Amino acid sequence: MLTHLECTRCGEHYPADRPQSVCPKDGGILYARYDLAAIKRTFSSARLAGRTPTMWRYDAVLPDANPVSLGEGFTPMLPSREYPNVYVKDEGLNPTGSFKARGLSAAVTMARHFGLKKLAIPSAGNAAGALAAYAAAAGLEAHIFMPKDVPAANRIECDYYGAHVTLVDGLISDCAKKVADMKKESFWQKDGWFDVSTTKEPYRVEGKKTMGYEVAEQLGWRMPQGIIYPTGGGVGLLGMWKAFDEMEALGWIGPERPKMIVVQSAGCAPIVKAWEEGKQSAEMWTSAATLASGLRVPKPYGDYLILDILKKSHGTAVSATDEEILEATRHWAKVEGIFAAPEGAACLVAYRKLRASGFFKPEDTVVLFSTGSGLKYLDVLDQDVARAPSPAKAASAAQPAARQIGGIIGPY
Ligand SMILES: [Zn+2]
């Protein structure tokens, strides 16, 4: 039912029967398009009951290829114990402990389908781990370019999955440049290399869009009033918005949409800045620094789509300081029993601010995306312990100086 790819800038169509990256004319992100009218005739939401509890339960609206699956998706939608009408979508329960599993399951599925051999990715951390795992499962090579100071778990898991890891002295944008330089080499095409960077190929969005299908299905095909989403590259935001349009065309939901809320770290908030200035694209954020490594994206490639979604959905963009994020991480763990990645806990900071400002009312149903597990960030969060006034402080003080997570240049 996948008919073609469509440029999100100029609307040009491209064939979906071969590997594609971005629009050759204007660099626009390509979206997969389906014959939704035909799908509507043969498939209904009622037929989802009893299907496999993974994101591939939605295979009617995914490319027709043999999935590379490790059981990703269909994560719990947990009612908050603190706020009635608030739900935490716990993406930390995915394979490799983060929502990145969805996009990489879909992208690696298609890469194998097209006979590609070597997959390259610049990553701030969790996408690297996910690519490494799915490439291992698919029998493909993963080539990872990550900042030196990513959380230790990301580096170690890539190593164990057998990926080729290059540590870069810089940010994810510097890693992306390394991959871009490699693409100019003659071996790139000849040896079956492919760039699975965020939004530089069409299928990570397809994997991530299943979060939108799940929000609808798990809330009984009702749309929430708001979705708060920690936004680095913003693939999930793009994917969910795409899913809502598809579901409306399929007759699974009506025209109602949640307000889409971007939360970013105050140390790297290009979308928040662009939103506040009423711009249609973001500027490169200089000196990006935050312990929420997944939010250290100085300029997301899909900025124009993210800002458009905020506008169309009557949403907004909010920033949270590292101190606020750390407090929220601790609070969620204690109050909800959810040990979240700092990126996800930033949603709680945003929700509190939006409740205080009256943007959300107590009766509004709001979904907060806990995008990953805190277990992937033990070295980052352990530094928080060192700062906290607790007995753990004395024990930590005896250790060598903590490395500067979030700094651009680490001491090693
Ligand atoms: Zn185009």
Side-chain angles (χ1 to χ4, degrees):
M1 295 295 182
L2 174 62
T3 53
H4 63 278
L5 304 174
E6 184 183 60
C7 176
T8 53
R9 279 193 197 274
C10 68
E12 184 72 30
H13 290 191
Y14 294 97
D17 62 352
R18 67 201 72 167
Q20 302 273 14
S21 53
V22 294
C23 176
K25 286 186 187 165
D26 55 15
I29 294 168
L30 301 183
Y31 273 2
R33 296 299 185 196
Y34 302 81
D35 185 347
L36 294 171
I39 296 170
K40 190 178 180 180
R41 284 195 297 275
T42 56
F43 196 85
S44 70
S45 56
R47 287 185 57 189
L48 290 167
R51 293 191 130 219
T52 174
T54 76
M55 72 175 204
W56 295 98
R57 69 198 276 105
Y58 307 106
D59 61 3
V61 286
L62 290 168
D64 186 16
N66 185 22
V68 179
S69 177
L70 295 167
E72 55 292 322
F74 219 63
T75 54
M77 179 80 86
L78 303 169
S80 167
R81 285 157 175 80
E82 184 175 23
Y83 297 104
N85 305 315
V86 167
Y87 293 84
V88 180
K89 182 75 170 143
D90 191 359
E91 290 289 295
L93 291 171
N94 275 302
T96 72
S98 91
F99 66 155
K100 301 283 183 180
R102 298 176 187 263
L104 274 311
S105 173
V108 172
T109 290
M110 294 310 285
R112 184 175 70 178
H113 180 72
F114 291 132
L116 298 165
K117 301 282 182 244
K118 298 165 192 272
L119 307 180
I121 198 168
S123 168
N126 276 323
L131 173 64
Y134 286 93
L140 304 180
E141 279 183 26
H143 294 260
I144 312 274
F145 298 81
M146 51 167 58
K148 264 185 180 174
D149 58 352
V150 294
N154 297 130
R155 193 167 34 77
I156 296 165
E157 66 183 332
C158 289
D159 180 36
Y160 269 73
Y161 287 129
H164 304 264
V165 178
T166 305
L167 295 175
V168 177
D169 199 0
L171 297 176
I172 186 170
S173 44
D174 301 297
C175 301
K177 191 171 178 307
K178 282 223 180 300
V179 174
D181 288 344
M182 283 170 60
K183 280 174 161 174
K184 296 173 196 152
E185 304 289 335
S186 59
F187 66 78
W188 184 267
Q189 194 87 27
K190 188 162 61 73
D191 297 347
W193 283 78
F194 192 70
D195 177 7
V196 288
S197 296
T198 302
T199 55
K200 300 270 179 74
E201 60 76 55
Y203 299 107
R204 283 177 66 182
V205 171
E206 291 306 285
K208 284 275 185 75
K209 84 179 180 187
T210 58
M211 296 190 297
Y213 282 89
E214 286 175 28
V215 165
E217 185 177 358
Q218 292 175 325
L219 293 178
W221 306 106
R222 283 182 305 115
M223 283 285 105
Q225 276 70 50
I227 291 180
I228 305 183
Y229 189 79
T231 305
V235 181
L237 196 85
L238 270 47
M240 284 193 276
W241 195 252
K242 182 174 186 285
F244 298 148
D245 286 348
E246 289 175 1
M247 280 189 276
E248 187 182 354
L250 291 167
W252 297 5
I253 61 169
E256 67 282 5
R257 295 289 184 275
K259 293 185 169 95
M260 303 299 279
I261 316 297
V262 157
V263 57
Q264 296 195 305
S265 167
C268 183
I271 296 295
V272 178
K273 182 167 184 285
W275 174 252
E276 286 172 353
E277 293 172 354
K279 300 220 170 99
Q280 288 175 345
S281 63
E283 288 163 38
M284 178 74 87
W285 188 274
T286 51
S287 316
T290 170
L291 58 85
S293 51
L295 301 180
R296 234 183 328 148
V297 182
K299 177 174 164 52
Y301 194 74
D303 56 355
Y304 65 103
L305 293 172
I306 297 169
L307 289 160
D308 187 51
I309 291 167
L310 294 188
K311 202 169 160 187
K312 283 183 178 149
S313 74
H314 308 288
T316 191
V318 180
S319 66
T321 65
D322 277 6
E323 286 67 30
E324 289 173 322
I325 292 173
L326 280 173
E327 186 279 328
T329 307
R330 199 174 270 281
H331 185 83
W332 248 5
K334 274 189 187 166
V335 172
E336 306 280 6
I338 298 168
F339 185 34
E343 294 86 352
C347 291
L348 175 60
V349 179
Y351 179 73
R352 286 172 177 160
K353 289 182 179 181
L354 294 171
R355 274 290 299 276
S357 71
F359 185 94
F360 283 130
K361 299 188 172 51
E363 60 269 27
D364 288 337
T365 299
V366 180
V367 177
L368 313 189
F369 266 85
S370 175
T371 46
S373 167
L375 293 175
K376 300 290 288 282
Y377 294 77
L378 292 180
D379 49 343
V380 181
L381 296 173
D382 198 37
Q383 290 190 83
D384 176 41
V385 172
R387 283 201 292 264
S390 71
K393 188 174 181 176
S396 301
Q399 292 169 6
R403 68 195 176 106
Q404 199 58 44
I405 298 278
I408 294 174
I409 300 167
Y412 63 97

